[in-house]
Amino acid sequence: EDKVVQSPLSLVVHEGDTVTLNCSYEVTNFRSLLWYKQEKKAPTFLFMLTSSGIEKKSGRLSSILDKKELFSILNITATQTGDSAVYLCAVVKLNTDKLIFGTGTRLQVFP
Amino acid sequence: DAGVIQSPRHEVTEMGQEVTLRCKPISGHNSLFWYRQTMMRGLELLIYFNNNVPIDDSGMPEDRFSAKMPNASFSTLKIQPSEPRDSAVYFCASSLSAPGGELFFGEGSRLTVL
């Protein structure tokens, strides 16, 4: 059965800290991995990763994929209170548009 | 540009009642998804459509749930009869059927079944 597992389940840090969120997957016919940020409402798109070893970066956020070891990490440097959210990882399989989501990591950043 | 539009935003109903959730995808998107989110189980895919045709409904929990997409700009998710365990946030999302598969989510419909 396809599986996407995120860790840690929750994380509490202070502003300025750096965090690393993990996503591992067991999925047949992998196509891509996506990261989403969910605050109070709908998930919003952060990154899409399809190739191993190529870092995607957006401001203080970056992400990388390892297709051999079947995992991805999302890094956030110099965290701010506005980074507080649930971060979701999802995998897309070949020949489908279906996203399989992990249960998410809840990040809380305190001032 | 309008995003994915869902209604109602909140619904409180009693057990046994019929619930209908509605979704208008982004114009031009040809895939539409219904997800359910709970604290315990996270985001679960219920069903998805491609070009208005149901492709995968393996996530639909049971016969009480049904979904339709009569045209490219409208979909419904119906629960009949509703039960307290159906309480959740139901998200509709749409995408262009292209490599990668970025989904655009609606704001969700929060359902509470008493």
Side-chain angles (χ1 to χ4, degrees):
Chain A
E1 185 183 336
D2 297 325
K3 195 159 57 170
V4 179
V5 178
Q6 292 186 245
S7 64
L9 288 181
S10 67
L11 197 51
V12 180
V13 301
H14 288 289
E15 270 191 320
D17 289 350
T18 293
V19 297
T20 298
L21 310 182
N22 303 291
C23 175
S24 64
Y25 60 91
E26 293 176 24
V27 170
T28 55
N29 301 318
F30 173 90
R31 183 168 80 176
S32 60
L33 184 145
L34 289 81
W35 284 96
Y36 281 81
K37 177 182 181 182
Q38 185 176 23
E39 295 175 86
K40 292 194 190 301
K41 298 180 181 175
T44 54
F45 174 77
L46 293 175
F47 297 113
M48 182 178 73
L49 303 156
T50 54
S51 302
S52 272
I54 298 175
E55 186 183 54
K56 292 282 183 93
K57 200 166 169 64
S58 175
R60 295 175 295 102
L61 277 66
S62 62
S63 184
I64 198 160
L65 174 67
D66 185 327
K67 289 167 74 172
K68 183 179 173 191
E69 300 297 330
L70 308 183
F71 77 92
S72 173
I73 60 172
L74 175 68
N75 279 320
I76 309 175
T77 58
T79 51
Q80 302 172 356
T81 54
D83 296 327
S84 297
V86 174
Y87 290 84
L88 296 162
C89 167
V91 170
V92 185
K93 298 175 64 161
L94 287 170
N95 303 318
T96 178
D97 296 323
K98 184 165 81 169
L99 268 68
I100 304 165
F101 280 88
T103 50
T105 293
R106 180 175 295 279
L107 173 66
Q108 292 177 276
V109 182
F110 286 98
Chain B
D1 286 343
V4 175
I5 299 172
Q6 290 186 245
S7 65
R9 294 292 304 281
H10 301 275
E11 173 102 8
V12 180
T13 190
E14 292 188 340
M15 184 172 69
Q17 296 298 305
E18 178 180 294
V19 173
T20 299
L21 307 179
R22 297 173 178 79
C23 176
K24 177 177 166 52
I26 292 172
S27 177
H29 282 189
N30 57 352
S31 290
L32 182 140
F33 304 76
W34 283 101
Y35 281 89
R36 176 171 69 177
Q37 188 174 41
T38 60
M39 289 290 291
M40 292 297 294
R41 299 172 68 93
L43 265 170
E44 302 172 279
L45 178 66
L46 300 176
I47 185 171
Y48 88 93
F49 296 84
N50 184 260
N51 293 323
N52 312 340
V53 176
I55 302 299
D56 184 344
D57 66 355
S58 58
M60 295 287 261
E62 48 199 271
D63 291 347
R64 298 185 297 106
F65 285 68
S66 62
K68 293 183 181 178
M69 191 165 186
N71 58 62
S73 59
F74 184 65
S75 176
T76 59
L77 177 68
K78 188 173 290 189
I79 309 172
Q80 165 65 15
S82 58
E83 296 182 3
R85 61 191 167 123
D86 301 331
S87 298
V89 180
Y90 290 81
F91 286 103
C92 176
S94 69
S95 73
L96 278 172
S97 186
E102 178 188 347
L103 288 189
F104 294 82
F105 284 83
E107 297 284 280
S109 294
R110 181 176 293 278
L111 172 65
T112 303
V113 183
L114 303 173

